[in-house]
Amino acid sequence: MDKVSGSGFESKNEYMFGKMDMQLKLIPGNSAGTVTAFYLSSKGPASDEIDFEFLGNLSGDPYILNTNVLSQGKGDREQQFFLWFDPTADFHTYSILWNRQRILFSVDGTPIREVENMESREVPFPKNRPMRVYSTLWNADDWATMGGLIKTNWSNAPFTASCRNFNADMACVWPSNLTSASSCSFISTAGDQWMIEELHTSDQENLKWVQKNYMVYDYCTDLKRFPQGLPLECNIA
Ligand SMILES: *[C@@H]1O[C@H](CO)[C@@H](O)[C@H](O)[C@H]1NC(C)=O
């Protein structure tokens, strides 16, 4: 990214359900104001999305990993984390598991967030539209670093983040010449382990460890943001 343009790429195919990994090495040094993202998104308005967003920082200050899930354009479900390593020093693996029951965000194989399907309690969940894979780098200095206080220092441009070893094991690879969502809805749940994958006890322990020690923001505790009451899913569980 430089002052003229951000950068990014998207997959040719759309996918539905599965497991995907990307290795990322983030912008070293002063990355304040920048956002590097790896995410799934459906096309068109009111999108479904599953997002990893890395919010840059001043040299030596920690990145924040922002996660979010949108269903039909409705998001506002951020959880944010510090990482337990320097994400600019080396490549690390960021993974999304997506099946009908849950979405799982993992870092180097350690689960950091689980979003369960609570449609039975009227909480929307993305499972009806295929999504493309994206990775992008853009300027967001109006909000990304210390809530927008620290701006992008363009004398450091161009900013470079790297990705490698994208790996996807998906239930349905959406043929680009089809337009209706129906063929992806006949996916068998029996064949593939990850369609029914859930957290094992050791993973649950790791998830708790990350949430306790590295989570810096949870929308479910942000009473100021939701004066009318926390979102429904925050009061279940
Ligand atoms: C940047 O560093 C400051 C100071 O350590 C910290 O408060 C903030 O959460 C960090 N991350 C972002 C993205 O602002």
Side-chain angles (χ1 to χ4, degrees), residues 7-54:
S7 61
F9 55 85
E10 63 179 63
S11 60
K12 288 187 183 149
N13 291 317
E14 295 181 275
Y15 300 95
M16 206 148 164
F17 304 128
K19 221 173 177 175
M20 61 178 65
D21 307 319
M22 181 79 97
Q23 293 192 330
L24 295 172
K25 187 174 167 185
L26 304 179
I27 300 162
N30 183 355
S31 58
T34 69
V35 173
T36 307
F38 164 48
Y39 61 103
L40 289 169
S41 178
S42 64
K43 282 275 174 193
S47 58
D48 289 350
E49 277 186 38
I50 303 174
D51 301 329
F52 274 115
E53 291 178 329
F54 299 87

mmCIF file of all heavy atoms in Angstrom, residues 7-54:
data_model
loop_
_atom_site.group_PDB
_atom_site.id
_atom_site.type_symbol
_atom_site.label_atom_id
_atom_site.label_comp_id
_atom_site.label_asym_id
_atom_site.label_seq_id
_atom_site.Cartn_x
_atom_site.Cartn_y
_atom_site.Cartn_z
ATOM 1 N N SER A 7 -4.040 -2.477 -1.531
ATOM 2 C CA SER A 7 -3.892 -3.611 -2.428
ATOM 3 C C SER A 7 -4.660 -4.802 -1.880
ATOM 4 O O SER A 7 -5.086 -4.796 -0.724
ATOM 5 C CB SER A 7 -2.418 -3.967 -2.616
ATOM 6 O OG SER A 7 -1.850 -4.331 -1.390
ATOM 7 N N GLY A 8 -4.834 -5.809 -2.737
ATOM 8 C CA GLY A 8 -5.562 -6.981 -2.279
ATOM 9 C C GLY A 8 -5.829 -7.933 -3.416
ATOM 10 O O GLY A 8 -5.516 -7.651 -4.570
ATOM 11 N N PHE A 9 -6.390 -9.077 -3.054
ATOM 12 C CA PHE A 9 -6.796 -10.035 -4.073
ATOM 13 C C PHE A 9 -8.003 -10.811 -3.572
ATOM 14 O O PHE A 9 -8.301 -10.813 -2.375
ATOM 15 C CB PHE A 9 -5.660 -10.990 -4.434
ATOM 16 C CG PHE A 9 -5.077 -11.730 -3.255
ATOM 17 C CD1 PHE A 9 -5.667 -12.904 -2.794
ATOM 18 C CD2 PHE A 9 -3.940 -11.254 -2.613
ATOM 19 C CE1 PHE A 9 -5.136 -13.593 -1.716
ATOM 20 C CE2 PHE A 9 -3.401 -11.933 -1.526
ATOM 21 C CZ PHE A 9 -4.000 -13.092 -1.079
ATOM 22 N N GLU A 10 -8.722 -11.421 -4.508
ATOM 23 C CA GLU A 10 -9.861 -12.254 -4.127
ATOM 24 C C GLU A 10 -9.796 -13.558 -4.890
ATOM 25 O O GLU A 10 -9.183 -13.632 -5.965
ATOM 26 C CB GLU A 10 -11.181 -11.534 -4.402
ATOM 27 C CG GLU A 10 -11.437 -11.230 -5.865
ATOM 28 C CD GLU A 10 -12.776 -10.535 -6.086
ATOM 29 O OE1 GLU A 10 -12.955 -9.424 -5.576
ATOM 30 O OE2 GLU A 10 -13.623 -11.123 -6.770
ATOM 31 N N SER A 11 -10.441 -14.588 -4.348
ATOM 32 C CA SER A 11 -10.445 -15.881 -5.036
ATOM 33 C C SER A 11 -11.383 -15.815 -6.234
ATOM 34 O O SER A 11 -12.349 -15.054 -6.244
ATOM 35 C CB SER A 11 -10.893 -16.983 -4.076
ATOM 36 O OG SER A 11 -12.198 -16.745 -3.592
ATOM 37 N N LYS A 12 -11.100 -16.623 -7.243
ATOM 38 C CA LYS A 12 -12.013 -16.712 -8.389
ATOM 39 C C LYS A 12 -13.296 -17.407 -7.968
ATOM 40 O O LYS A 12 -14.378 -17.030 -8.353
ATOM 41 C CB LYS A 12 -11.365 -17.518 -9.507
ATOM 42 C CG LYS A 12 -10.244 -16.772 -10.186
ATOM 43 C CD LYS A 12 -9.759 -17.549 -11.388
ATOM 44 C CE LYS A 12 -8.590 -16.824 -12.008
ATOM 45 N NZ LYS A 12 -7.633 -17.734 -12.632
ATOM 46 N N ASN A 13 -13.156 -18.461 -7.182
ATOM 47 C CA ASN A 13 -14.312 -19.264 -6.795
ATOM 48 C C ASN A 13 -14.954 -18.741 -5.537
ATOM 49 O O ASN A 13 -14.333 -18.055 -4.736
ATOM 50 C CB ASN A 13 -13.885 -20.712 -6.540
ATOM 51 C CG ASN A 13 -13.472 -21.412 -7.814
ATOM 52 O OD1 ASN A 13 -14.137 -21.278 -8.838
ATOM 53 N ND2 ASN A 13 -12.379 -22.126 -7.747
ATOM 54 N N GLU A 14 -16.221 -19.123 -5.374
ATOM 55 C CA GLU A 14 -16.890 -18.912 -4.099
ATOM 56 C C GLU A 14 -16.959 -20.260 -3.401
ATOM 57 O O GLU A 14 -17.027 -21.304 -4.053
ATOM 58 C CB GLU A 14 -18.295 -18.371 -4.333
ATOM 59 C CG GLU A 14 -18.298 -17.015 -4.969
ATOM 60 C CD GLU A 14 -19.706 -16.494 -5.153
ATOM 61 O OE1 GLU A 14 -20.320 -16.837 -6.177
ATOM 62 O OE2 GLU A 14 -20.189 -15.781 -4.263
ATOM 63 N N TYR A 15 -16.956 -20.213 -2.105
ATOM 64 C CA TYR A 15 -16.897 -21.447 -1.314
ATOM 65 C C TYR A 15 -18.011 -21.476 -0.289
ATOM 66 O O TYR A 15 -18.524 -20.446 0.124
ATOM 67 C CB TYR A 15 -15.580 -21.518 -0.537
ATOM 68 C CG TYR A 15 -14.343 -21.515 -1.391
ATOM 69 C CD1 TYR A 15 -13.665 -20.339 -1.660
ATOM 70 C CD2 TYR A 15 -13.850 -22.705 -1.912
ATOM 71 C CE1 TYR A 15 -12.511 -20.339 -2.427
ATOM 72 C CE2 TYR A 15 -12.693 -22.707 -2.686
ATOM 73 C CZ TYR A 15 -12.035 -21.529 -2.934
ATOM 74 O OH TYR A 15 -10.900 -21.537 -3.695
ATOM 75 N N MET A 16 -18.341 -22.690 0.120
ATOM 76 C CA MET A 16 -19.294 -22.806 1.208
ATOM 77 C C MET A 16 -18.837 -23.898 2.160
ATOM 78 O O MET A 16 -18.632 -25.039 1.748
ATOM 79 C CB MET A 16 -20.675 -23.142 0.658
ATOM 80 C CG MET A 16 -21.745 -22.665 1.574
ATOM 81 S SD MET A 16 -23.193 -22.183 0.672
ATOM 82 C CE MET A 16 -24.309 -22.173 2.068
ATOM 83 N N PHE A 17 -18.679 -23.537 3.371
ATOM 84 C CA PHE A 17 -18.266 -24.419 4.470
ATOM 85 C C PHE A 17 -16.887 -25.027 4.230
ATOM 86 O O PHE A 17 -16.504 -25.304 3.108
ATOM 87 C CB PHE A 17 -19.270 -25.549 4.726
ATOM 88 C CG PHE A 17 -20.661 -25.057 5.003
ATOM 89 C CD1 PHE A 17 -21.739 -25.556 4.298
ATOM 90 C CD2 PHE A 17 -20.876 -24.075 5.955
ATOM 91 C CE1 PHE A 17 -23.027 -25.108 4.545
ATOM 92 C CE2 PHE A 17 -22.157 -23.623 6.206
ATOM 93 C CZ PHE A 17 -23.232 -24.140 5.506
ATOM 94 N N GLY A 18 -16.196 -25.244 5.323
ATOM 95 C CA GLY A 18 -14.899 -25.874 5.228
ATOM 96 C C GLY A 18 -13.902 -25.250 6.165
ATOM 97 O O GLY A 18 -14.253 -24.591 7.143
ATOM 98 N N LYS A 19 -12.658 -25.472 5.790
ATOM 99 C CA LYS A 19 -11.574 -25.077 6.655
ATOM 100 C C LYS A 19 -10.541 -24.410 5.776
ATOM 101 O O LYS A 19 -10.197 -24.945 4.729
ATOM 102 C CB LYS A 19 -10.950 -26.359 7.216
ATOM 103 C CG LYS A 19 -10.580 -26.294 8.649
ATOM 104 C CD LYS A 19 -10.146 -27.673 9.090
ATOM 105 C CE LYS A 19 -9.685 -27.601 10.528
ATOM 106 N NZ LYS A 19 -9.362 -28.908 11.061
ATOM 107 N N MET A 20 -10.080 -23.256 6.147
ATOM 108 C CA MET A 20 -9.022 -22.651 5.341
ATOM 109 C C MET A 20 -7.967 -21.993 6.212
ATOM 110 O O MET A 20 -8.250 -21.488 7.289
ATOM 111 C CB MET A 20 -9.602 -21.653 4.361
ATOM 112 C CG MET A 20 -10.330 -20.512 4.993
ATOM 113 S SD MET A 20 -10.883 -19.407 3.712
ATOM 114 C CE MET A 20 -12.026 -20.497 2.901
ATOM 115 N N ASP A 21 -6.749 -22.066 5.701
ATOM 116 C CA ASP A 21 -5.603 -21.497 6.412
ATOM 117 C C ASP A 21 -4.908 -20.508 5.496
ATOM 118 O O ASP A 21 -4.797 -20.745 4.293
ATOM 119 C CB ASP A 21 -4.538 -22.559 6.712
ATOM 120 C CG ASP A 21 -5.077 -23.769 7.426
ATOM 121 O OD1 ASP A 21 -5.910 -23.597 8.332
ATOM 122 O OD2 ASP A 21 -4.659 -24.894 7.066
ATOM 123 N N MET A 22 -4.368 -19.465 6.103
ATOM 124 C CA MET A 22 -3.495 -18.539 5.386
ATOM 125 C C MET A 22 -2.344 -18.201 6.310
ATOM 126 O O MET A 22 -2.548 -18.004 7.509
ATOM 127 C CB MET A 22 -4.251 -17.270 5.026
ATOM 128 C CG MET A 22 -3.432 -16.266 4.251
ATOM 129 S SD MET A 22 -3.277 -16.674 2.520
ATOM 130 C CE MET A 22 -4.585 -15.655 1.857
ATOM 131 N N GLN A 23 -1.146 -18.158 5.741
ATOM 132 C CA GLN A 23 -0.020 -17.679 6.536
ATOM 133 C C GLN A 23 0.233 -16.228 6.180
ATOM 134 O O GLN A 23 0.279 -15.869 4.999
ATOM 135 C CB GLN A 23 1.223 -18.511 6.244
ATOM 136 C CG GLN A 23 1.062 -19.941 6.721
ATOM 137 C CD GLN A 23 2.371 -20.703 6.701
ATOM 138 O OE1 GLN A 23 3.246 -20.446 5.884
ATOM 139 N NE2 GLN A 23 2.488 -21.659 7.604
ATOM 140 N N LEU A 24 0.356 -15.403 7.205
ATOM 141 C CA LEU A 24 0.572 -13.973 7.002
ATOM 142 C C LEU A 24 1.767 -13.506 7.806
ATOM 143 O O LEU A 24 2.003 -13.977 8.924
ATOM 144 C CB LEU A 24 -0.642 -13.167 7.491
ATOM 145 C CG LEU A 24 -1.982 -13.337 6.791
ATOM 146 C CD1 LEU A 24 -3.051 -12.596 7.567
ATOM 147 C CD2 LEU A 24 -1.910 -12.807 5.374
ATOM 148 N N LYS A 25 2.478 -12.559 7.217
ATOM 149 C CA LYS A 25 3.545 -11.847 7.915
ATOM 150 C C LYS A 25 3.202 -10.373 7.756
ATOM 151 O O LYS A 25 3.086 -9.874 6.637
ATOM 152 C CB LYS A 25 4.881 -12.191 7.267
ATOM 153 C CG LYS A 25 6.068 -11.661 7.993
ATOM 154 C CD LYS A 25 7.338 -12.193 7.327
ATOM 155 C CE LYS A 25 8.540 -11.438 7.813
ATOM 156 N NZ LYS A 25 9.746 -11.839 7.100
ATOM 157 N N LEU A 26 3.009 -9.701 8.870
ATOM 158 C CA LEU A 26 2.439 -8.349 8.820
ATOM 159 C C LEU A 26 3.499 -7.273 8.639
ATOM 160 O O LEU A 26 4.709 -7.531 8.777
ATOM 161 C CB LEU A 26 1.610 -8.101 10.083
ATOM 162 C CG LEU A 26 0.489 -9.134 10.319
ATOM 163 C CD1 LEU A 26 -0.264 -8.831 11.596
ATOM 164 C CD2 LEU A 26 -0.468 -9.178 9.146
ATOM 165 N N ILE A 27 3.051 -6.071 8.343
ATOM 166 C CA ILE A 27 3.937 -4.919 8.090
ATOM 167 C C ILE A 27 4.841 -4.679 9.295
ATOM 168 O O ILE A 27 4.358 -4.469 10.405
ATOM 169 C CB ILE A 27 3.091 -3.647 7.870
ATOM 170 C CG1 ILE A 27 2.153 -3.813 6.682
ATOM 171 C CG2 ILE A 27 3.992 -2.418 7.696
ATOM 172 C CD1 ILE A 27 1.029 -2.791 6.688
ATOM 173 N N PRO A 28 6.161 -4.699 9.087
ATOM 174 C CA PRO A 28 7.074 -4.454 10.213
ATOM 175 C C PRO A 28 7.197 -2.956 10.515
ATOM 176 O O PRO A 28 6.828 -2.113 9.692
ATOM 177 C CB PRO A 28 8.404 -4.998 9.686
ATOM 178 C CG PRO A 28 8.314 -4.865 8.203
ATOM 179 C CD PRO A 28 6.863 -4.967 7.833
ATOM 180 N N GLY A 29 7.712 -2.651 11.679
ATOM 181 C CA GLY A 29 7.979 -1.249 12.027
ATOM 182 C C GLY A 29 6.705 -0.478 12.289
ATOM 183 O O GLY A 29 5.758 -0.999 12.883
ATOM 184 N N ASN A 30 6.676 0.756 11.827
ATOM 185 C CA ASN A 30 5.502 1.598 12.065
ATOM 186 C C ASN A 30 4.382 1.262 11.073
ATOM 187 O O ASN A 30 4.430 1.650 9.919
ATOM 188 C CB ASN A 30 5.902 3.072 11.945
ATOM 189 C CG ASN A 30 4.738 3.996 12.245
ATOM 190 O OD1 ASN A 30 3.605 3.551 12.445
ATOM 191 N ND2 ASN A 30 5.014 5.287 12.289
ATOM 192 N N SER A 31 3.375 0.545 11.556
ATOM 193 C CA SER A 31 2.241 0.165 10.706
ATOM 194 C C SER A 31 0.966 0.871 11.169
ATOM 195 O O SER A 31 -0.143 0.496 10.769
ATOM 196 C CB SER A 31 2.043 -1.351 10.758
ATOM 197 O OG SER A 31 1.823 -1.763 12.107
ATOM 198 N N ALA A 32 1.109 1.877 12.033
ATOM 199 C CA ALA A 32 -0.073 2.583 12.565
ATOM 200 C C ALA A 32 -0.957 3.071 11.420
ATOM 201 O O ALA A 32 -0.466 3.517 10.389
ATOM 202 C CB ALA A 32 0.375 3.752 13.428
ATOM 203 N N GLY A 33 -2.265 2.941 11.614
ATOM 204 C CA GLY A 33 -3.223 3.424 10.621
ATOM 205 C C GLY A 33 -3.576 2.418 9.546
ATOM 206 O O GLY A 33 -4.559 2.590 8.825
ATOM 207 N N THR A 34 -2.785 1.345 9.440
ATOM 208 C CA THR A 34 -3.042 0.363 8.381
ATOM 209 C C THR A 34 -3.894 -0.795 8.904
ATOM 210 O O THR A 34 -3.871 -1.102 10.092
ATOM 211 C CB THR A 34 -1.730 -0.252 7.836
ATOM 212 O OG1 THR A 34 -1.137 -1.089 8.843
ATOM 213 C CG2 THR A 34 -0.739 0.834 7.444
ATOM 214 N N VAL A 35 -4.622 -1.420 7.994
ATOM 215 C CA VAL A 35 -5.325 -2.659 8.316
ATOM 216 C C VAL A 35 -4.988 -3.700 7.252
ATOM 217 O O VAL A 35 -5.107 -3.431 6.054
ATOM 218 C CB VAL A 35 -6.857 -2.460 8.386
ATOM 219 C CG1 VAL A 35 -7.568 -3.790 8.563
ATOM 220 C CG2 VAL A 35 -7.231 -1.528 9.526
ATOM 221 N N THR A 36 -4.531 -4.846 7.723
ATOM 222 C CA THR A 36 -4.304 -6.002 6.854
ATOM 223 C C THR A 36 -5.405 -7.003 7.184
ATOM 224 O O THR A 36 -5.671 -7.252 8.358
ATOM 225 C CB THR A 36 -2.931 -6.646 7.147
ATOM 226 O OG1 THR A 36 -1.920 -5.638 7.074
ATOM 227 C CG2 THR A 36 -2.620 -7.753 6.153
ATOM 228 N N ALA A 37 -6.048 -7.546 6.163
ATOM 229 C CA ALA A 37 -7.201 -8.406 6.438
ATOM 230 C C ALA A 37 -7.121 -9.709 5.662
ATOM 231 O O ALA A 37 -6.539 -9.773 4.573
ATOM 232 C CB ALA A 37 -8.491 -7.680 6.079
ATOM 233 N N PHE A 38 -7.711 -10.735 6.248
ATOM 234 C CA PHE A 38 -7.908 -12.029 5.587
ATOM 235 C C PHE A 38 -9.337 -12.412 5.935
ATOM 236 O O PHE A 38 -9.681 -12.531 7.108
ATOM 237 C CB PHE A 38 -6.894 -13.039 6.139
ATOM 238 C CG PHE A 38 -7.217 -14.473 5.826
ATOM 239 C CD1 PHE A 38 -7.561 -14.873 4.543
ATOM 240 C CD2 PHE A 38 -7.155 -15.447 6.827
ATOM 241 C CE1 PHE A 38 -7.855 -16.197 4.261
ATOM 242 C CE2 PHE A 38 -7.443 -16.787 6.550
ATOM 243 C CZ PHE A 38 -7.797 -17.151 5.266
ATOM 244 N N TYR A 39 -10.205 -12.551 4.927
ATOM 245 C CA TYR A 39 -11.612 -12.747 5.257
ATOM 246 C C TYR A 39 -12.383 -13.456 4.148
ATOM 247 O O TYR A 39 -11.923 -13.568 3.011
ATOM 248 C CB TYR A 39 -12.279 -11.415 5.604
ATOM 249 C CG TYR A 39 -12.282 -10.366 4.516
ATOM 250 C CD1 TYR A 39 -13.425 -10.108 3.762
ATOM 251 C CD2 TYR A 39 -11.141 -9.618 4.249
ATOM 252 C CE1 TYR A 39 -13.438 -9.133 2.783
ATOM 253 C CE2 TYR A 39 -11.145 -8.645 3.260
ATOM 254 C CZ TYR A 39 -12.288 -8.402 2.534
ATOM 255 O OH TYR A 39 -12.291 -7.441 1.551
ATOM 256 N N LEU A 40 -13.563 -13.902 4.529
ATOM 257 C CA LEU A 40 -14.522 -14.468 3.591
ATOM 258 C C LEU A 40 -15.658 -13.470 3.466
ATOM 259 O O LEU A 40 -16.108 -12.916 4.476
ATOM 260 C CB LEU A 40 -15.102 -15.768 4.152
ATOM 261 C CG LEU A 40 -14.178 -16.976 4.213
ATOM 262 C CD1 LEU A 40 -14.847 -18.072 5.055
ATOM 263 C CD2 LEU A 40 -13.923 -17.485 2.811
ATOM 264 N N SER A 41 -16.141 -13.271 2.239
ATOM 265 C CA SER A 41 -17.290 -12.374 2.095
ATOM 266 C C SER A 41 -18.139 -12.806 0.918
ATOM 267 O O SER A 41 -17.618 -13.224 -0.121
ATOM 268 C CB SER A 41 -16.798 -10.938 1.893
ATOM 269 O OG SER A 41 -17.903 -10.071 1.708
ATOM 270 N N SER A 42 -19.464 -12.700 1.077
ATOM 271 C CA SER A 42 -20.366 -12.933 -0.052
ATOM 272 C C SER A 42 -20.440 -11.656 -0.877
ATOM 273 O O SER A 42 -20.069 -10.588 -0.412
ATOM 274 C CB SER A 42 -21.751 -13.329 0.461
ATOM 275 O OG SER A 42 -22.326 -12.265 1.189
ATOM 276 N N LYS A 43 -20.900 -11.791 -2.107
ATOM 277 C CA LYS A 43 -21.023 -10.628 -3.001
ATOM 278 C C LYS A 43 -22.330 -9.893 -2.725
ATOM 279 O O LYS A 43 -23.256 -10.449 -2.184
ATOM 280 C CB LYS A 43 -21.031 -11.105 -4.461
ATOM 281 C CG LYS A 43 -19.665 -11.459 -4.978
ATOM 282 C CD LYS A 43 -18.935 -10.213 -5.491
ATOM 283 C CE LYS A 43 -17.508 -10.596 -5.869
ATOM 284 N NZ LYS A 43 -16.583 -9.572 -6.097
ATOM 285 N N GLY A 44 -22.341 -8.634 -3.154
ATOM 286 C CA GLY A 44 -23.590 -7.880 -3.119
ATOM 287 C C GLY A 44 -23.832 -7.204 -1.792
ATOM 288 O O GLY A 44 -23.033 -7.342 -0.862
ATOM 289 N N PRO A 45 -24.936 -6.471 -1.702
ATOM 290 C CA PRO A 45 -25.245 -5.728 -0.477
ATOM 291 C C PRO A 45 -25.626 -6.669 0.659
ATOM 292 O O PRO A 45 -25.952 -7.835 0.409
ATOM 293 C CB PRO A 45 -26.436 -4.845 -0.889
ATOM 294 C CG PRO A 45 -27.053 -5.523 -2.060
ATOM 295 C CD PRO A 45 -25.965 -6.310 -2.744
ATOM 296 N N ALA A 46 -25.585 -6.180 1.865
ATOM 297 C CA ALA A 46 -25.939 -6.966 3.052
ATOM 298 C C ALA A 46 -25.163 -8.284 3.067
ATOM 299 O O ALA A 46 -25.739 -9.373 3.086
ATOM 300 C CB ALA A 46 -27.445 -7.216 3.125
ATOM 301 N N SER A 47 -23.836 -8.189 3.039
ATOM 302 C CA SER A 47 -23.018 -9.385 2.872
ATOM 303 C C SER A 47 -22.913 -10.213 4.148
ATOM 304 O O SER A 47 -23.098 -9.723 5.252
ATOM 305 C CB SER A 47 -21.614 -8.989 2.409
ATOM 306 O OG SER A 47 -21.016 -8.121 3.330
ATOM 307 N N ASP A 48 -22.621 -11.490 3.922
ATOM 308 C CA ASP A 48 -22.145 -12.364 4.986
ATOM 309 C C ASP A 48 -20.635 -12.224 5.006
ATOM 310 O O ASP A 48 -20.014 -12.130 3.945
ATOM 311 C CB ASP A 48 -22.489 -13.826 4.688
ATOM 312 C CG ASP A 48 -23.971 -14.119 4.809
ATOM 313 O OD1 ASP A 48 -24.716 -13.250 5.304
ATOM 314 O OD2 ASP A 48 -24.378 -15.222 4.400
ATOM 315 N N GLU A 49 -20.041 -12.233 6.181
ATOM 316 C CA GLU A 49 -18.584 -12.120 6.261
ATOM 317 C C GLU A 49 -18.047 -12.846 7.481
ATOM 318 O O GLU A 49 -18.704 -12.892 8.515
ATOM 319 C CB GLU A 49 -18.153 -10.640 6.427
ATOM 320 C CG GLU A 49 -18.067 -9.845 5.155
ATOM 321 C CD GLU A 49 -17.507 -8.441 5.381
ATOM 322 O OE1 GLU A 49 -16.581 -8.285 6.209
ATOM 323 O OE2 GLU A 49 -18.013 -7.514 4.741
ATOM 324 N N ILE A 50 -16.820 -13.364 7.336
ATOM 325 C CA ILE A 50 -16.065 -13.905 8.466
ATOM 326 C C ILE A 50 -14.688 -13.252 8.378
ATOM 327 O O ILE A 50 -13.966 -13.475 7.405
ATOM 328 C CB ILE A 50 -15.953 -15.441 8.375
ATOM 329 C CG1 ILE A 50 -17.348 -16.075 8.310
ATOM 330 C CG2 ILE A 50 -15.168 -15.984 9.565
ATOM 331 C CD1 ILE A 50 -17.347 -17.584 8.069
ATOM 332 N N ASP A 51 -14.350 -12.423 9.346
ATOM 333 C CA ASP A 51 -13.211 -11.504 9.207
ATOM 334 C C ASP A 51 -12.102 -11.679 10.224
ATOM 335 O O ASP A 51 -12.358 -11.724 11.426
ATOM 336 C CB ASP A 51 -13.674 -10.046 9.406
ATOM 337 C CG ASP A 51 -14.742 -9.610 8.436
ATOM 338 O OD1 ASP A 51 -14.747 -10.115 7.309
ATOM 339 O OD2 ASP A 51 -15.569 -8.763 8.821
ATOM 340 N N PHE A 52 -10.868 -11.704 9.713
ATOM 341 C CA PHE A 52 -9.666 -11.428 10.498
ATOM 342 C C PHE A 52 -9.158 -10.062 10.037
ATOM 343 O O PHE A 52 -8.900 -9.891 8.829
ATOM 344 C CB PHE A 52 -8.551 -12.414 10.139
ATOM 345 C CG PHE A 52 -8.529 -13.718 10.866
ATOM 346 C CD1 PHE A 52 -8.735 -14.905 10.170
ATOM 347 C CD2 PHE A 52 -8.235 -13.783 12.223
ATOM 348 C CE1 PHE A 52 -8.657 -16.149 10.819
ATOM 349 C CE2 PHE A 52 -8.147 -15.010 12.877
ATOM 350 C CZ PHE A 52 -8.369 -16.180 12.175
ATOM 351 N N GLU A 53 -8.983 -9.122 10.933
ATOM 352 C CA GLU A 53 -8.404 -7.818 10.567
ATOM 353 C C GLU A 53 -7.286 -7.480 11.540
ATOM 354 O O GLU A 53 -7.493 -7.520 12.754
ATOM 355 C CB GLU A 53 -9.455 -6.706 10.648
ATOM 356 C CG GLU A 53 -10.527 -6.786 9.590
ATOM 357 C CD GLU A 53 -11.558 -5.681 9.744
ATOM 358 O OE1 GLU A 53 -11.817 -5.241 10.883
ATOM 359 O OE2 GLU A 53 -12.113 -5.258 8.722
ATOM 360 N N PHE A 54 -6.133 -7.133 10.996
ATOM 361 C CA PHE A 54 -4.976 -6.823 11.833
ATOM 362 C C PHE A 54 -4.766 -5.322 11.839
ATOM 363 O O PHE A 54 -4.473 -4.728 10.795
ATOM 364 C CB PHE A 54 -3.742 -7.535 11.299
ATOM 365 C CG PHE A 54 -3.888 -9.038 11.291
ATOM 366 C CD1 PHE A 54 -4.457 -9.690 10.207
ATOM 367 C CD2 PHE A 54 -3.476 -9.789 12.386
ATOM 368 C CE1 PHE A 54 -4.612 -11.069 10.204
ATOM 369 C CE2 PHE A 54 -3.621 -11.168 12.396
ATOM 370 C CZ PHE A 54 -4.193 -11.804 11.306
#
